[in-house]
Amino acid sequence: SKGGYRHFMLKEIHEQSQVIAATLEGRLGDHQVLVNSFGTDAEQLFRGVRQVHIIACGTSYHAGMVARYWIEKLAGVPTQVEVASEYRYREVVVPEGTLFVTLSQSGETADTLAALRFAKQRDYRGSLAICNVPGSSLVRESDLTLMTQAGPEIGVASTKAFTTQLVALMLLALALGRVRGANGEHAPIVQGLRELPGVINQVLALDGEVERLSMAFAEKHHALFLGRGAHFPIAQEGALKLKEISYIHAEAYPAGELKHGPLALVDSEMPVIAVAPNDELLEKLKSNLQEVRARGGELFVFADESIRMETSAHLHVLRVPAVSDALAPIVYTIPLQLLAYHVAVLKGTDVDQPRNLAKSVTVE
Ligand code: F6R
């Protein structure tokens, strides 16, 4: 049932606080992640990990892209992320100690499963599946598993499965850091995780404001999403959501790439959405934003509430509650989901079952 919501997607967006709490349940100690959340063999297996290869499709791939920033920063382990349909067909070099990680909501995505079977014929350190469906093929065939606790996701456009994957991947980054000797320095992130469900509820309260912003998009044919660092894949995910359910062409760029090409597209018909949490990249992002404004582009900035930037002609600022840098990608996903949702509703599309798409892609 839609629980009083107009669409499953909106219901699932609003469940995120609760399912994130469920995904954290029993997996955190006082100041550290519990490594055995990944299985009783996890600690021993993780100790020998020297690289990570993360393989997924679509939205799950975007979660993997965020994880690369986290694993390299918090655990110092080199990490590669690739879509399954590419990885499985190339001559992948597998250095000693490579952990093979798949991400999948369904656990049945054909290319991701094929990539796991490909990996099992080669010399990896081991395989880990982060998945939302117990007993799925991916879960059955992997050495280690960590279940996201998103519950059934009905809307074809993935929302709560994505944010719970991000939470699971943060647990992975912390666990790899822990076995490699991180000692207490990640305690603030563990505390941030505990507070995350409350922060998510605050962000969900921005729904009405995002709905008002969405009106500027309904008549547009294109949109550009910008982010930097771990927010580049969040921008990609925002663009994918908009494409999938509103059928508006959207692209995402790392903000620093703007002047290397896409700036040529910017005019008053091309709204630009910038994901701008208050991290060390903010100053650089601000200068990118000037470039957009100078070309008459309509700019939507989703920014930390502490940022000094006011809504003015052609500049719309959505203030997002303050959150630690490490967890900001999870929080900033939510207004982007809401934006795509409201634009789709305005356009009158079939939000829960967008044309041409299937919930589970079991063919190649
Ligand atoms: C988009 C979406 C898809 C899936 C992709 C992989 O909203 O849901 O891009 O993420 O088809 O599916 P799973 O995660 O089941 O492997």
Side-chain angles (χ1 to χ4, degrees), residues 57-60 103-106 109 156-158 165 240-241 244 361:
C57 301
T59 286
S60 298
L103 305 175
S104 176
Q105 183 277 131
S106 62
T109 299
V156 166
S158 185
Q165 281 172 341
L240 179 64
K241 289 292 90 109
E244 284 184 293
V361 184

Side-chain angles (χ1 to χ4, degrees), residues 105-328:
Q105 183 277 131
S106 62
E108 303 295 347
T109 299
D111 281 315
T112 308
L113 191 54
L116 172 63
R117 291 175 181 159
F118 161 103
K120 287 176 84 166
Q121 302 210 333
R122 287 165 180 77
D123 203 11
Y124 287 80
R125 171 84 188 152
S127 58
L128 164 67
I130 293 178
C131 188
N132 197 46
V133 178
S136 59
S137 305
L138 217 54
V139 168
R140 279 186 278 116
E141 296 182 30
S142 298
D143 300 325
L144 301 175
T145 54
L146 188 76
M147 301 309 297
T148 47
Q149 302 292 346
E153 191 180 62
I154 310 292
V156 166
S158 185
T159 54
K160 62 177 182 169
F162 176 71
T163 47
T164 54
Q165 281 172 341
L166 290 177
V167 167
L169 287 161
M170 178 52 93
L171 295 178
L172 176 63
L174 293 170
L176 289 171
R178 186 172 173 188
V179 301
R180 292 167 63 86
N183 196 3
E185 66 260 40
H186 299 147
I189 299 178
V190 172
Q191 185 52 29
L193 283 169
R194 286 186 210 291
E195 292 164 8
L196 189 58
V199 178
I200 300 285
N201 277 330
Q202 290 173 31
V203 181
L204 286 166
L206 299 173
D207 192 19
E209 215 174 315
V210 177
E211 185 175 5
R212 276 192 295 285
L213 295 180
S214 70
M215 287 182 241
F217 291 78
E219 303 294 319
K220 295 287 190 290
H221 298 286
H222 307 275
L224 193 59
F225 288 72
L226 301 177
R228 277 181 176 267
H231 293 89
F232 166 50
I234 297 304
Q236 289 181 296
E237 175 58 10
L240 179 64
K241 289 292 90 109
L242 192 68
K243 278 185 264 210
E244 284 184 293
I245 61 171
S246 76
Y247 315 144
I248 292 174
H249 167 227
E251 284 194 73
Y253 273 91
E257 278 291 288
L258 194 60
K259 57 168 84 60
H260 299 287
L263 193 55
L265 292 170
V266 174
D267 63 11
S268 59
E269 289 305 298
M270 171 76 104
V272 178
I273 300 103
V275 187
N278 200 2
D279 62 17
E280 71 257 29
L281 299 168
L282 179 69
E283 282 310 312
K284 296 212 161 157
L285 184 60
K286 275 189 180 162
S287 72
N288 299 141
L289 300 185
Q290 291 308 325
E291 293 161 3
V292 170
R293 287 183 78 182
R295 283 151 189 90
E298 192 92 6
L299 196 60
F300 299 80
V301 182
F302 293 5
D304 189 284
E305 58 193 4
S306 67
I307 288 175
R308 286 164 53 98
M309 201 186 259
E310 299 296 327
T311 292
S312 58
H314 307 295
L315 173 66
H316 311 269
V317 181
L318 180 81
R319 292 181 186 284
V320 178
V323 59
S324 68
D325 287 354
L327 300 172

